[in-house]
Amino acid sequence: MRPIGERYTVAVVGAGAAGTLTAVHLCETAARRRTPLDLVLIDPAPEAGRGTAYATRDPRHRLNVPAGGMSCYPDDPGHFTRWLCRHGEPTVTAADFATRYRYGAYLADTLAQAIVRARGVVSVRRLRTRAEHCTGAPDGRVVLRLADGTGLCADGAVLATGPAGPNAAWAPEELRTAPRFIAAPWASGALDGPLADDGDVLLVGTGLTAVDLALSLECPGRTVHALSRSGLLPQPHALTPAGPVPPPEGLYDTSLDRLRRTVYRHVARSVRVHGDWRPALDSLRPHTAHLWRSLTPEERARFLAREGALWNTHRHRMAPATAESVVRARTARRLTVHVGTVTGAVARDDGSLLVALSDGRDLHVGWVIDCTGPGPRLDDSLWRSLFTAGAAVPGPLGMGVATLDGRLLDAEGRTGLPLYTLGAPRRGELWETTAIPEIRVQAAALAQELLAPLAPGPRTTRRPLDGHGLALSTHAEAAAAYRTGLDRILKVRSGAEDALARAIALDPGFALGHAALALLGHECGAAVDVPRALAEAQRCARERADERERSFVDVVTRRVRGENGDRALVRHLDAHPADALALAAAVPTIAFSGVDDLDDDYALRLVERTSPAYDGHWFHTSLLAFLRQEQGRLHEAGELAHRALAAEPGSGHAVHALAHVHYETGAHQAGRDWLERWVAGRGRGAVHRAHFSWHIALHELALDDPAAVRKRWFTQLAPGRVTGVRALVDSGSLLWRARLSDSWQGDLPAADVLEQVEADVLERPTTAFTALHCAVALTAAGDVAALRRLRDHAAGADEVQREVIAPLCEAFAALVEERFREAARGLDALLPVLRRVGGSAAQREVVEETLLYALTADGRCDAARRLLDARLERTHAPRDRRMRAGLPG
């Protein structure tokens, strides 16, 4: 029995990629579950994460998997790519191939971050020594004896030792004992001799190790020879990968011969359809382990003998840049590939070697390097102790070790000691198990398995509540921080992101906190790593959440991924009407995008339907006020807004509703003065202050006060003060409207606004509302080429973009090119359907004002006068009266 008070201890032997990934997932799983854990990393290397594979500093040594496949997290594939973007490579994409050394730095940094986040729950020790022996303890734990003479007792151990060492069994005795034979090329300092020498080099093996060494050793005057039985080099990755393809039917026929025929037909079909065999082979990756297990031992041996080399060269490919370097080296004859084996070797007086090949040729080389890869048997002292004691047995075909889901099997086929392994030692069991995409899945599963004995029982204490009576699966301190964040979201005030971040720092396993952060990042532009927050929310929801919280996580997941999120949100609110955050996300006012793939009045019906759950609460009243003004029921909207503000003067939704009421009723002076007082007082901490400033500026435009508009723009809406999509929606649209009404003289700084927006947003906006404002800003900048690119994007996007935004871009382009009649005709046709793009009437009004400008510029004063008369019937604006009076005739 473990002594009372002693913490649960897990030892990870090896701090290369497999050990680091295991440690990352152990830290994060324990932190989410609030499970106290002592984690001990045992490895003599100076830095975690590098191991043998990622210690090379040669920039020519690149990963053989694109960055998009190298994340530490199976449920967050973009994590490595985003890390590269944050660490000096802002233009990197998921299809790029990073250097091996950079990947080692990523692993080390990810582990460091995981340790920091788990602080207070997980203690981590790093022992820079080797584990040499392992036995069982009487209490069922394991005892590791270390090279420094100390010992360690652990509740469980993960042997992340990596591939077996090379055994050079292929080499004749006279070669193995030669001073210039290098059996372990990745050992520290092993290549100092060959790199300093200008003699030829023989690499035995033509896999990825040989390719890396050939690039490192290549130099003028030297020939690098590469020798293998097949003479096959790894195939390159495609420069522009084809899309994924489904696996073939009949894949799970257990006969090797039938499987072979199925795979070859699948590859041939891929070549016919895609012009590339790679998608077919990649489609097999999720099924490889199952297929390997389905074969008999005899069939596995036949596969290795007949197709092993062919599989490896096509499955484990070179980065395109690496492949280009290899082609150049072969063309220049600095790299020569031979087919055959080494049959003998003679050391000459100068230390060089005369190597005899099976084809009868002799090669005179300065060095011979073993690049044949790992041997089949795990043969260091730690593994020998386990094999000798019967605590472990070799895996199928003598490769690696036998396991059951990663736990070592003993000589009797049972899971004896709490010993686990992952990655290369499971090669005999899984075949494909040495790449990061497989190892990270195994690491996450081991973390779950190792901590399973510590899983908490059912909760017996009463859970804390949010501000609307809904239970939260967290503790009181984290719940208090969450309530603060939720309150700030509902009031449209700043600080919500910080409060939610504090909640998950207090409880990393709080699913709702992660999901709320992901939602803020996705829809409100908060500085949140959205994929990371979403992945955390999903993990936490699986481990500790009630039905409502899991439903909300699903809603956020669908909205972020564009998977029918609106309908999922509506279903969630039907089941949980008091979920205020979900209701805020559903109603398009100022903070969130709302439901936009349902009919126009659905948001209003949603608010009305949820009314009993709020009993007149100021938040619900604020939303209803905004939607009533959208209906044109302005008097009722104003009363509701005032009622909400009497209960909560800081309610941004109510203020926004009242701002629209003032504008639509023509109370421009009163609206300007009231809103300016609120922004300077209660609204000082409001999110979207730029939008409230935009509303004030609209009043100033309507009052025909150009000086006030310019001052407002430069002090509150100029680029730098407002960035991102907000710069488009507020700063850009105001600038263009000021120009249309002759309220802006001189150069129009529209290009400065565009610089605040990412190019991808400008050319490929995801919503019609954003696309409308992109078109407005590009028109203000006079960029016809960009307008046409936006039109082309809209033509292939959703229905609203196709039917409204694409023709709108055509009309705006005509305006810039001074084809005013054509522009007016296009804009006039779009006014009846413009509501489909979303946003408020005040925001969409920019199109009507552009039409007025086009009519006037085309000399169609009667049509312009009719349009102005209609506007003046809606609201009395001095600007419109001045413009009407200025029309000739």
Side-chain angles (χ1 to χ4, degrees):
M1 296 289 290
R2 182 191 300 107
I4 295 175
E6 186 175 327
R7 287 159 58 100
Y8 196 79
T9 300
V10 172
V12 177
V13 179
T20 298
L21 287 168
T22 302
V24 166
H25 286 281
L26 279 168
C27 285
E28 298 196 350
T29 304
R32 284 197 303 273
R33 298 179 178 181
R34 288 178 283 169
T35 300
L37 173 68
D38 285 339
L39 177 60
V40 185
L41 295 177
I42 305 169
D43 193 297
E47 184 179 4
R50 297 205 177 277
T52 299
Y54 308 116
T56 171
R57 290 180 175 271
D58 192 328
R60 291 167 293 191
H61 295 171
R62 295 192 170 269
L63 300 172
N64 62 314
V65 175
M70 294 295 287
S71 167
C72 288
Y73 304 99
D75 52 1
D76 184 8
H79 189 260
F80 177 46
T81 307
R82 299 196 305 276
W83 184 90
L84 288 170
C85 290
R86 293 194 301 269
H87 290 80
E89 299 182 48
T91 61
V92 74
T93 70
D96 291 330
F97 292 80
T99 65
R100 293 183 179 278
Y101 194 79
R102 288 287 278 166
Y103 189 70
Y106 161 71
L107 288 174
D109 186 58
T110 302
L111 175 57
Q113 295 298 320
I115 291 172
V116 169
R117 288 193 295 271
R119 190 167 45 202
V121 177
V122 181
S123 71
V124 179
R125 285 187 292 156
R126 176 76 193 283
L127 304 181
R128 288 185 171 84
T129 184
R130 296 185 185 279
E132 294 188 331
H133 191 272
C134 180
T135 58
D139 60 1
R141 295 192 288 175
V142 294
V143 178
L144 293 165
R145 191 176 70 233
L146 309 181
D148 61 6
T150 63
L152 174 70
C153 190
D155 295 277
V158 179
L159 309 184
T161 55
N167 57 19
W170 55 268
E173 177 66 23
E174 59 270 27
L175 180 57
R176 285 201 302 271
T177 58
R180 291 203 175 190
F181 175 68
I182 300 175
W186 295 123
S188 178
L191 298 180
D192 291 349
L195 287 172
D197 194 285
D198 61 357
D200 292 351
V201 176
L202 172 62
L203 309 177
V204 181
T206 55
L208 291 167
T209 295
V211 167
D212 281 347
L213 292 180
L215 296 183
S216 293
L217 298 172
E218 179 194 5
C219 64
R222 165 186 284 165
T223 298
V224 176
H225 301 274
L227 170 74
S228 71
R229 294 179 185 274
S230 67
L232 296 175
L233 289 170
Q235 292 290 313
H237 282 276
L239 283 172
T240 54
V245 300
E249 295 181 4
L251 189 61
Y252 287 101
D253 288 343
T254 54
S255 162
L256 176 61
D257 292 332
R258 287 197 297 269
L259 178 60
R260 181 185 290 119
R261 288 194 295 270
T262 298
V263 170
Y264 275 109
R265 284 197 300 267
H266 183 49
V267 170
R269 187 181 307 113
S270 178
V271 171
R272 288 195 306 271
V273 175
H274 301 283
D276 191 357
W277 50 267
R278 295 171 184 83
L281 205 64
D282 293 342
S283 72
L284 302 177
R285 185 167 189 164
H287 309 276
T288 305
H290 181 91
L291 292 172
W292 179 255
R293 285 172 164 168
S294 72
L295 300 177
T296 66
E298 293 76 18
E299 286 175 323
R300 294 178 189 176
R302 281 170 47 207
F303 169 78
L304 292 179
R306 180 174 168 179
E307 275 98 12
L310 189 64
W311 171 270
N312 284 330
T313 57
H314 286 74
R315 170 65 185 81
H316 302 284
R317 305 192 281 269
M318 294 184 281
T322 302
E324 290 179 14
S325 298
V326 168
V327 170
R328 286 196 299 269
R330 297 188 74 178
T331 302
R333 298 189 178 181
R334 291 197 292 269
L335 171 62
T336 303
V337 179
H338 305 273
V339 179
T341 60
V342 173
T343 58
V346 176
R348 305 182 66 158
D349 292 342
D350 61 358
S352 62
L353 294 163
L354 189 66
V355 181
L357 305 184
S358 58
D359 62 2
R361 282 185 294 176
D362 292 334
L363 293 179
H364 180 208
V365 296
W367 301 84
V368 177
I369 303 177
D370 185 357
C371 299
T372 58
R377 185 175 175 85
L378 298 163
D379 200 33
D380 65 8
S381 59
L382 175 62
W383 285 107
R384 282 198 302 272
S385 73
L386 292 169
F387 290 138
T388 301
V393 293
L397 301 180
M399 295 190 298
V401 62
T403 74
L404 177 64
D405 296 329
R407 185 164 181 174
L408 269 59
L409 296 175
D410 61 20
E412 298 181 7
R414 300 176 303 186
T415 54
L417 297 176
L419 291 172
Y420 302 80
T421 192
L422 74 167
R426 298 183 68 185
R427 189 163 177 257
E429 174 196 357
L430 302 175
W431 175 236
E432 285 291 346
T433 180
T434 58
I436 294 298
E438 284 76 34
I439 295 175
R440 66 191 181 192
V441 172
Q442 295 172 27
L446 283 187
Q448 297 283 336
E449 177 71 17
L450 282 159
L451 298 178
L454 307 179
R459 293 179 62 96
T460 57
T461 58
R462 185 175 178 180
R463 291 187 294 163
L465 306 178
D466 71 1
H468 297 269
L470 299 178
L472 301 172
S473 296
T474 188
H475 54 70
E477 293 82 4
Y482 177 81
R483 284 193 295 270
T484 298
L486 177 60
D487 183 66
R488 291 179 181 276
I489 291 172
L490 301 186
K491 291 177 181 175
V492 199
R493 295 185 67 79
S494 60
E497 176 189 339
D498 291 340
L500 293 172
R502 188 165 64 253
I504 61 172
L506 290 165
D507 180 6
F510 183 25
L512 213 55
H514 290 290
L517 271 177
L519 186 66
L520 284 184
H522 175 64
E523 299 208 7
C524 304
V528 175
D529 186 342
V530 174
R532 169 78 177 163
L534 189 60
E536 289 284 5
Q538 293 166 332
R539 295 170 201 151
C540 298
R542 288 191 294 268
E543 294 182 356
R544 169 165 49 94
D546 63 17
E547 187 278 330
R548 177 193 64 102
E549 292 166 321
R550 288 193 298 272
S551 174
F552 186 79
V553 170
D554 179 65
V555 165
V556 176
T557 300
R558 290 176 181 275
R559 288 178 77 83
V560 170
R561 294 178 178 172
E563 299 173 353
N564 205 11
D566 285 352
R567 296 186 186 278
L569 179 55
V570 169
R571 288 195 299 271
H572 176 83
L573 282 167
D574 285 341
H576 310 285
D579 192 331
L581 182 54
L583 186 61
V587 180
T589 56
I590 186 173
F592 296 99
S593 61
V595 288
D596 60 9
D597 68 348
L598 304 169
D599 64 77
D600 290 340
D601 295 326
Y602 201 91
L604 176 62
R605 295 202 299 274
L606 202 57
V607 171
E608 291 173 338
R609 195 163 69 240
T610 56
S611 179
Y614 291 88
D615 192 27
H617 190 276
W618 61 264
F619 164 67
H620 192 271
T621 303
S622 299
L623 296 185
L624 187 58
F626 187 85
L627 294 175
R628 289 291 185 234
Q629 66 82 26
E630 284 283 285
Q631 287 183 292
R633 294 161 63 172
L634 300 176
H635 179 73
E636 183 181 351
E639 287 187 344
L640 288 168
H642 282 296
R643 186 188 309 165
L645 288 168
E648 176 46 68
S651 172
H653 291 296
V655 171
H656 192 208
L658 200 54
H660 278 278
V661 169
H662 285 142
Y663 186 77
E664 298 298 339
T665 58
H668 296 301
Q669 187 168 335
R672 176 199 62 191
D673 295 344
W674 184 89
L675 190 53
E676 184 129 52
R677 286 194 302 272
W678 185 85
V679 168
R682 291 278 186 177
R684 189 166 294 174
V687 181
H688 308 305
R689 287 192 72 193
H691 190 63
F692 292 120
S693 296
W694 175 83
H695 271 283
I696 299 171
L698 281 194
H699 288 306
E700 291 167 339
L701 269 178
L703 291 168
D704 214 15
D705 190 346
V709 172
R710 288 177 66 93
K711 181 179 179 182
R712 181 85 46 199
W713 197 88
F714 281 112
T715 58
Q716 298 175 7
L717 291 163
R721 298 181 181 277
V722 187
T723 59
V725 174
R726 198 82 257 170
L728 283 177
V729 173
D730 296 323
S731 308
S733 68
L734 178 67
L735 204 58
W736 180 235
R737 293 171 81 157
R739 167 55 58 86
L740 293 174
S741 62
D742 297 325
S743 296
W744 192 286
Q745 302 300 319
D747 294 336
L748 202 67
D752 297 339
V753 173
L754 294 174
E755 287 179 0
Q756 303 297 314
V757 187
E758 293 181 9
D760 199 53
V761 173
L762 281 173
E763 299 197 359
R764 290 174 291 277
T766 57
T767 68
F769 177 76
T770 302
L772 165 66
H773 286 87
C774 289
V776 168
L778 292 171
T779 303
D783 194 338
V784 174
L787 276 170
R788 293 204 165 114
R789 290 195 297 271
L790 179 59
R791 173 205 60 192
D792 292 343
H793 161 76
D798 59 80
E799 181 181 345
V800 178
Q801 291 206 51
R802 289 197 306 271
E803 297 180 3
V804 181
I805 300 302
L808 183 70
C809 290
E810 288 280 12
F812 279 162
L815 185 85
V816 175
E817 293 176 338
E818 298 185 358
R819 293 181 282 116
F820 297 118
R821 179 151 302 199
E822 186 178 338
R825 185 164 51 248
L827 294 170
D828 188 53
L830 288 170
L831 287 184
V833 297
L834 200 59
R835 196 171 191 271
R836 296 176 64 194
V837 304
S840 66
Q843 287 170 317
R844 298 188 298 268
E845 195 177 47
V846 66
V847 177
E848 183 183 74
E849 292 175 358
T850 307
L851 169 61
L852 180 61
Y853 176 86
L855 290 171
T856 305
D858 192 43
R860 297 168 61 191
C861 297
D862 288 342
R865 190 176 293 108
R866 287 194 297 272
L867 181 55
L868 281 166
D869 285 343
R871 288 166 61 88
L872 286 166
E873 284 183 13
R874 295 198 306 264
T875 175
H876 296 289
R879 173 204 53 196
D880 288 352
R881 288 200 300 270
R882 187 257 302 165
M883 293 177 69
R884 191 189 186 289
L887 290 173

